[in-house]
Amino acid sequence: MPNQMQDLPVYLFTGFLDAGKTRFIQETLEDERFHKGERTLLLMCEDGEEEYDPERFCAPNVFLRTVEDEADFTPENLQKMQREVLPERVIIEYNGMWLLDTLYQNLPEGWVVAQEFLFADAQTFLTYNANMRQLVVDKLKSAELVVLNRYNSDMDRMALHKVVRGVSRRADIAYEFADGNVEYDDIEDPLPFDIEAPIIEIDDRDYAIWYRDMSEEVQKYAGKTVRFKGRCLQRSNLPKHSFIIGRHVMTCCVEDIQFAGLVVNWDDAQTVQNDSWHTITAKLENKYHRAYGSKGPVLTLISLEPAEKPEETVATFY
């Protein structure tokens, strides 16, 4: 019997209908390199044209369950399945019309996403992005691998690349041809600022790109000096010698605008006027701060100069 005290790895497959998720999962479970008989809970959250053929799985112990309504994707229902199946791992084929927040907020304690893959039809991916941008961004933001299938060499690879990179710089991109051959994306994305400069200068229009890159690879910036314009905020729950500086960032639409800020340490922090705009020069370190409750990007102030707010106060990924 599996040890229920250990973390339960979850393999998450996202994408829209007929994007190839079912076929890939089927082939994976038929592959003895992945499936050697481990007790596997296969959780289906949508019905596509393709169906699973359990008889072709190269080993038994795969237990199919369904969640047809988003409201039923609850910790209680998932825990019930876990008690029934006693799985060693979980594979989830997630409904493309459901937001990932539903999944991550409802995974039972101990269920840990080990890998997250996004599958999309290259022929319709740009149309989905144009018409359902929020859902596309939702699936891209945490994917480790984006598989664009039904790809052919006549397609605009750069356009597909830009959609992915507009949300994530860390996801690998694979282009799968109809014959099964796969090519991995090798388009370089130079950052619009020099991270090797003595002072990394972040232009107003580049704040969103810099903040995302810094958040994904904070250690890359540790010990470096940065300069950018931001909105300063005072908060009563911050330590006496700290304030926040940042910008509002929009990833895809007005509904997803969020404040993307960093904590600043400075002995005279309390002198900074709340909701004021400044240009800051500071050294960035990846270390613990009470405001984060964990390690995170913390700025040690070098200089702070009053500044006019940027022409576009909400930063975007242009």
Side-chain angles (χ1 to χ4, degrees), residues 117-250:
F117 309 93
L118 168 61
F119 284 78
D121 185 339
Q123 299 179 24
T124 59
F125 186 58
L126 297 180
T127 302
Y128 269 105
N129 184 63
N131 297 323
M132 295 190 294
R133 172 71 173 163
Q134 185 177 9
L135 287 172
V136 172
V137 169
D138 179 66
K139 304 305 178 293
L140 282 171
K141 62 187 180 183
S142 52
E144 299 170 48
L145 173 65
V146 178
V147 179
L148 296 167
N149 51 44
R150 302 185 180 97
Y151 176 82
N152 66 67
S153 54
D154 293 331
M155 294 179 180
D156 186 348
R157 183 176 293 196
M158 179 59 78
L160 298 168
H161 169 95
K162 285 183 175 179
V163 171
V164 178
R165 287 290 174 258
V167 180
S168 171
R169 295 182 68 91
R170 66 184 180 88
D172 291 324
I173 308 172
Y175 304 95
E176 183 180 14
F177 293 79
D179 62 5
N181 286 328
V182 175
E183 292 182 2
Y184 284 89
D185 188 283
D186 59 0
I187 299 173
E188 292 189 12
D189 287 294
L191 293 167
F193 42 82
D194 183 3
I195 66 169
E196 300 302 329
I199 299 178
I200 303 173
E201 301 274 358
I202 311 300
D203 290 342
D204 290 347
R205 72 190 301 263
D206 297 330
Y207 182 84
I209 293 175
W210 171 74
Y211 187 87
R212 182 189 60 197
D213 190 64
M214 180 273 302
S215 299
E216 292 179 351
E217 298 185 74
V218 63
Q219 202 56 42
K220 182 168 71 176
Y221 293 89
K224 295 183 180 292
T225 300
V226 297
R227 178 181 292 143
F228 62 89
K229 183 186 296 182
R231 180 181 171 206
C232 298
L233 302 177
Q234 295 281 4
R235 292 293 181 263
S236 59
N237 60 342
L238 286 175
K240 181 179 179 180
H241 300 303
S242 299
F243 68 96
I244 295 172
I245 188 168
R247 299 269 306 272
H248 279 92
V249 172
M250 181 174 69

Side-chain angles (χ1 to χ4, degrees), residues 58-76:
C58 64
N61 292 340
V62 176
F63 303 87
L64 278 69
R65 297 290 188 273
T66 61
V67 177
E68 296 181 353
D69 297 319
E70 188 173 5
D72 294 329
F73 198 96
T74 64
E76 293 76 18

